[in-house]
Amino acid sequence: MAAKKNSNSYNFPNPMDNNILIGHEEVLRDFANAWDKRDEHPIHPVWMLTGPRGIGKATLAYKIAKQVYGNIGDFFIIDINRNIDKDGKPKPDGKSISVYTVRAMIEKMQMSSMSGDWRVILIDSVDELNTAASNALLKLLEEPPAKTLFLLVVHQLASVLPTVRSRARVEKLRPLSISQLKELCETFMPDANVSEETLRLANGSFGRIANLKKSGGDAIYNELIECLQNPRSNSVDMMAIAKKIAPDPALHGILLDAIAAFGLAELYPDATHAIANISRVNLEPELALFKIITQIKKCL
């Protein structure tokens, strides 16, 4: 029997390089129709693609962008990996996109379009713009430059300035179906064992499945459920699970998934607050997570 591939060795393509889009065909078709008829009916200059993380919004945005821009110099990307500080030096801190990044893009854009082709500005994501950057974007959207298309990726629509939303055509993308998730798993993780439980946990996000597989979170979740369901499990067993979850903040949420799986809605507010406090007040994650697991166990 061939050995299974290590879950940490999967390489998922950057949305820019990913030509495989599963789901959201209707939005892509609507844009294509609008683009083809742009001489008859001016196309909306600002398209906002919003929905949960990991459902393919950025992949869709890049797919749209590739239909539009003519020269590579007419394509401007703003994301956390291209973030810069006030001196123009790279600052990919993973927290927020600075106003200097937006201003630098505006300066480059003002020098471009010598060819007369359309330009594309893709922001992934608007949620990560700091307040000054959001205001700089708003000023640009108040009078959009001619022959310029804005593609704005948004994870939480409520986090976007209402004045920015009001200037966009908002496309609300749905979470992916189980069959679509399976298709993506077969495409990008053909030798991975993705259980039905993992598919359910994903809540329509392939990005979450990818993160669970890379971190081993799906296996840890199964251990958690087994521990909670086992009448013989004790505090030592529960602490062992807490220690596996603690190092990766992205995995802390599987406790909320367990609460939902057991139908313990009354525990959800306190558990959510406790998980948020781990980083907010520098709690010891192992102990905080252990207390949540213990509380779940008591309610079963």
Side-chain angles (χ1 to χ4, degrees):
M1 181 181 295
K4 284 187 177 180
K5 190 171 185 176
N6 186 297
S7 61
N8 291 320
S9 64
Y10 291 108
N11 293 315
F12 301 99
N14 185 288
M16 178 188 291
D17 304 316
N18 182 20
N19 293 320
I20 299 174
L21 177 71
I22 293 176
H24 320 310
E25 292 87 356
E26 184 177 343
V27 176
L28 186 61
R29 185 168 56 249
D30 287 347
F31 176 81
N33 289 336
W35 178 248
D36 290 342
K37 297 176 182 177
R38 64 189 181 280
D39 291 334
E40 304 168 34
H41 307 284
I43 191 169
H44 200 297
V46 186
W47 288 60
M48 184 175 289
L49 309 176
T50 180
R53 289 179 181 271
I55 63 172
K57 301 187 300 297
T59 298
L60 173 61
Y62 278 103
K63 204 168 187 67
I64 289 174
K66 291 171 185 176
Q67 295 183 25
V68 176
Y69 73 89
N71 300 313
I72 196 67
D74 297 326
F75 189 19
F76 306 91
I77 302 168
I78 293 177
D79 61 23
I80 205 71
N81 293 322
R82 294 170 175 79
N83 197 32
I84 60 173
D85 61 18
K86 62 180 181 180
D87 297 318
K89 296 180 180 179
K91 189 185 178 184
D93 57 9
K95 296 178 181 178
S96 63
I97 298 172
S98 72
V99 66
Y100 309 109
T101 306
V102 176
R103 289 173 180 169
M105 177 274 297
I106 293 173
E107 290 178 5
K108 290 178 183 177
M109 187 185 67
Q110 290 172 342
M111 298 169 60
S112 73
S113 200
M114 297 298 291
S115 65
D117 287 328
W118 274 73
R119 296 172 295 184
V120 178
I121 298 171
L122 191 156
I123 302 180
D124 180 17
S125 67
V126 174
D127 310 64
E128 295 170 326
L129 297 174
N130 66 22
T131 302
S134 293
N135 288 330
L137 172 63
L138 176 59
K139 289 181 181 179
L140 190 58
L141 296 182
E142 286 175 346
E143 293 184 20
K147 297 184 75 174
T148 301
L149 176 71
F150 292 82
L151 298 172
L152 310 181
V153 175
V154 174
H155 304 307
Q156 293 186 339
L157 192 56
S159 69
V160 180
L161 290 174
T163 43
V164 172
R165 291 203 305 267
S166 68
R167 287 166 171 76
R169 169 172 171 160
V170 179
E171 297 287 350
K172 297 181 179 179
L173 307 187
R174 301 186 187 93
L176 301 173
S177 67
I178 292 293
S179 62
Q180 289 171 331
L181 290 175
K182 287 182 177 179
E183 188 175 350
L184 284 165
C185 289
E186 291 169 359
T187 300
F188 294 110
M189 301 184 292
D191 55 350
N193 179 20
V194 181
S195 67
E196 290 294 326
E197 182 62 26
T198 300
L199 291 169
R200 186 190 67 78
L201 277 177
N203 291 323
S205 167
F206 177 70
R208 184 153 195 226
I209 293 178
N211 289 333
L212 284 169
K213 295 303 291 184
K214 286 191 289 186
S215 65
D218 55 336
I220 296 174
Y221 178 81
N222 290 333
E223 287 184 45
L224 170 65
I225 297 299
E226 289 176 8
C227 177
L228 291 169
Q229 290 178 327
N230 185 352
R232 297 182 179 180
S233 61
N234 54 37
S235 59
V236 175
D237 300 319
M238 289 184 281
M239 178 55 82
I241 297 292
K243 287 181 177 179
K244 289 185 178 182
I245 298 172
D248 187 352
L251 290 183
H252 296 177
I254 66 175
L255 296 185
L256 302 180
D257 294 321
I259 288 172
F262 289 116
L264 302 174
E266 67 276 13
L267 297 183
Y268 201 89
D270 287 344
T272 302
H273 184 69
I275 290 172
N277 275 343
I278 290 175
S279 58
R280 189 159 47 219
V281 296
N282 297 317
L283 293 177
E284 291 188 20
E286 292 177 5
L287 183 57
L289 298 172
F290 170 74
K291 288 180 178 179
I292 297 172
I293 297 172
T294 302
Q295 193 61 36
I296 298 172
K297 182 72 172 175
K298 287 180 179 178
C299 293
L300 296 179

